[in-house]
Amino acid sequence: MLIDILPLKKTKPPIEDESNLVFGKRFTDRMFVMEYDSGRGWHTARIQPYAPFSMDPAAMVLHYAQEIFEGLKAFRRDDGSVALFRPADNVARFNRSARRMCMPEVDEGFFLDALKQLVQLEAAWVPRSEGTSLYIRPTMIANEPMLGVRPADQYLCYIILSPVGAYYRGGLAPVKIWISDHYVRAAHGGTGEVKTGGNYAASLFAAREAAAQGFDQVLWLDAKDKRYVEEVGSMNMCFVFDGKLVTSPLSGTILDGITRRSILTLAEEMGLKIEQRALSVDEIFDGIDSGKLQEAFGTGTAVVVSPVGQFTYQGRTAKLGDGKTTGEVTRKLYDTLTGMQYGRLSDRHGWIVPL
Ligand SMILES: *Cc1c(COP(=O)(O)O)cnc(C)c1O
C-alpha cells in the first residue's frame, strides 16, 4: 500500500519554550491515517494535516470501547540525529492488542515504515533539551456506526505526535504509592495485558481516591487473593532486594512493558539476579523493615524509571530510606537506558533505530 502525502496548508509555529511542554497537550502539524473495511482490508493510507475526525455518534468505539493504542518516543540524540527506541516491539504489541480486542491487525513492516515516515516529516518537532522527546501515539478505533454488540466492520488507525518535556526537572523524584486493598485493575482471563483505553477508564476512580489522600499513584494487587503486586498506573514494578531484582511475571494481567523488558536486560548485565515471580505486600513491608528491600521503581516509556519513596497499605506507611532519595541501582538503570536513548552510551542490543 502506498502512503499519500497530503500538502500542509499552514504550519504551526515551532516549539518556543521547551521547558514548558505539558505531556500530551500539543501535537505536530501532520498525522498518519488509514481506514479499514472488512472485505477490503486497510486502505487510503495517508500522511495528512493534523485535524479533528468527523464521526458518527453511533460509532462503535464511543459505545463499547473497541480501542487500542501504543506509546513510544523519538529522541533527539546528542549528535542532532533522531532515533526511535525498540519501535518494532511496540508495533508487535499493537497487533497482540488488536487480536484480543477482535480488531484487524496491521502489516508490521508497513506500519513501522509509516511511523518512521511521519516522524521524519515532523523531525523539526523533536525537541532538543535534556530529557525531552517526541511522544508517538498509534491508535486504532472501531468507527462503524452501529449499536449492536459485536466486533465492528470498520476501523480507523492513526498516529499522532506530541513533543513532551523532561519528566524530571529537578532530578529523579521518588513517588508516594498507595496500595489498594479494594479496587482491582485486571483479573485472569481479562484484558490486563492489552493496551486498551477501557483499562484506564476503569482505573480512574481509585486514582482519584489516592490523589485525594496525597498519593501519586495506585499500586494494584492481583484480583484473586489481593496479596500480590501487579503494576502501577502505566508502569511495571521492580523491587531491589540484596542484589536481586524482583518483578511480577507476565501472567496475562499486566502489560508486557518494553521498558520493563529493557530494564531486566540491563539489570542482569549489571550483575543483578532477575526473579520474575509473585511478590506479596507482606514481602514489601517485611523487606523494608528488615532492610532487605532497598529500592523499588516503576518502569514505562513516559518516565523511563520512577523511584518509589514510600508505600502505604491499609493505613500503614513504609519508607524506602528517607523516602526522598533515589537508590543507586535505580539511578544507574535510568542513566544507562537514557544514555542509550540520547546517544551518550553505545547500544549493544540493537534497540536504537535511527531515522
Ligand atoms: C504502556 C503501559 C506500561 C508500560 O509499557 P512500556 O512499553 O514500558 O511503555 C505499563 N503498564 C500499563 C498498564 C501500560 O499501559
Side-chain angles (χ1 to χ4, degrees):
M1 188 175 18
L2 268 171
I3 302 176
D4 243 338
I5 315 270
L6 306 181
L8 276 183
K9 289 193 188 69
K10 52 177 196 270
T11 57
K12 283 185 286 248
I15 314 153
E16 322 73 40
D17 184 3
E18 290 189 359
S19 65
N20 250 331
L21 289 168
V22 178
F23 179 85
K25 265 203 119 143
R26 272 196 80 178
F27 299 94
T28 70
D29 292 324
R30 297 173 172 93
M31 63 182 182
F32 168 83
V33 186
M34 63 179 176
E35 295 165 43
Y36 180 94
D37 289 273
S38 53
R40 196 172 164 199
W42 289 110
H43 62 88
T44 326
R46 63 211 185 251
I47 291 175
Q48 63 159 75
Y50 186 97
F53 294 123
S54 153
M55 281 183 91
D56 195 294
M60 290 170 91
V61 63
L62 303 177
H63 301 273
Y64 310 121
Q66 209 187 354
E67 186 266 3
I68 57 168
F69 67 96
E70 267 304 323
L72 67 158
K73 283 174 171 176
F75 300 92
R76 174 81 58 191
R77 292 157 69 76
D78 285 0
D79 64 4
S81 66
V82 174
L84 303 167
F85 184 72
R86 307 188 76 170
D89 291 38
N90 290 89
V91 176
R93 189 170 66 189
F94 195 54
N95 269 346
R96 291 202 300 277
S97 295
R99 284 196 287 279
R100 178 63 176 82
M101 303 308 279
C102 297
M103 300 171 87
E105 291 177 45
V106 297
D107 180 290
E108 293 182 15
F110 169 81
F111 197 63
L112 186 53
D113 223 54
L115 189 153
K116 284 186 191 164
Q117 266 195 60
L118 177 66
V119 176
Q120 186 94 63
L121 281 166
E122 299 292 69
W125 286 89
V126 184
R128 291 173 185 275
S129 9
E130 173 78 30
T132 61
S133 58
L134 185 70
Y135 184 77
I136 306 169
R137 171 54 62 89
T139 309
M140 194 193 297
I141 56 175
N143 70 340
E144 182 192 358
M146 164 70 181
L147 294 184
V149 179
R150 59 155 171 78
D153 281 331
Q154 290 166 8
Y155 297 88
L156 208 57
C157 178
Y158 55 93
I159 305 172
I160 52 176
L161 308 174
S162 173
V164 297
Y167 194 87
Y168 298 107
R169 294 217 169 94
L172 287 172
V175 293
K176 296 178 181 158
I177 299 273
W178 184 57
I179 303 177
S180 171
D181 63 354
H182 178 68
Y183 304 109
V184 293
R185 177 183 172 276
H188 282 288
T191 58
E193 66 183 344
V194 184
K195 223 166 166 71
T196 184
N199 288 338
Y200 281 85
S203 75
L204 297 177
F205 196 80
R208 190 168 64 181
E209 199 166 306
Q213 297 175 69
F215 300 105
D216 300 299
Q217 296 266 9
V218 178
L219 186 147
W220 306 100
L221 298 178
D222 73 287
K224 184 161 166 275
D225 299 311
K226 300 226 183 94
R227 260 189 82 192
Y228 301 102
V229 172
E230 294 267 305
E231 58 178 322
V232 168
S234 55
M235 299 191 294
N236 296 112
M237 284 299 300
C238 293
F239 297 84
V240 181
F241 290 88
D242 294 324
K244 280 187 314 200
L245 190 146
V246 182
T247 191
S248 311
L250 301 175
S251 55
T253 54
I254 65 168
L255 229 283
D256 178 358
I258 292 156
T259 318
R260 171 186 182 276
R261 237 185 257 174
S262 310
I263 288 290
L264 294 187
T265 301
L266 296 178
E268 193 159 34
E269 288 173 355
M270 279 167 49
L272 289 159
K273 188 168 164 284
I274 308 298
E275 292 181 4
Q276 300 191 48
R277 62 167 175 86
L279 173 80
S280 68
V281 182
D282 291 341
E283 206 178 332
I284 297 177
F285 278 79
D286 293 349
I288 292 177
D289 274 351
S290 68
K292 285 202 174 93
L293 171 59
Q294 294 99 28
E295 301 179 36
F297 57 91
T299 68
T301 294
V303 296
V304 187
V305 306
S306 172
V308 175
Q310 62 175 64
F311 292 101
T312 300
Y313 176 69
Q314 295 183 334
R316 191 179 154 213
T317 293
K319 280 189 184 170
L320 284 145
D322 62 3
K324 294 188 179 76
T325 313
T326 298
E328 238 174 87
V329 173
T330 308
R331 174 171 303 282
K332 192 163 172 211
L333 286 167
Y334 177 82
D335 288 344
T336 307
L337 193 51
T338 54
M340 288 179 178
Q341 291 171 332
Y342 289 98
R344 293 189 289 269
L345 296 176
S346 68
D347 164 31
R348 294 183 305 280
H349 304 282
W351 290 343
I352 303 299
V353 177
L355 276 189

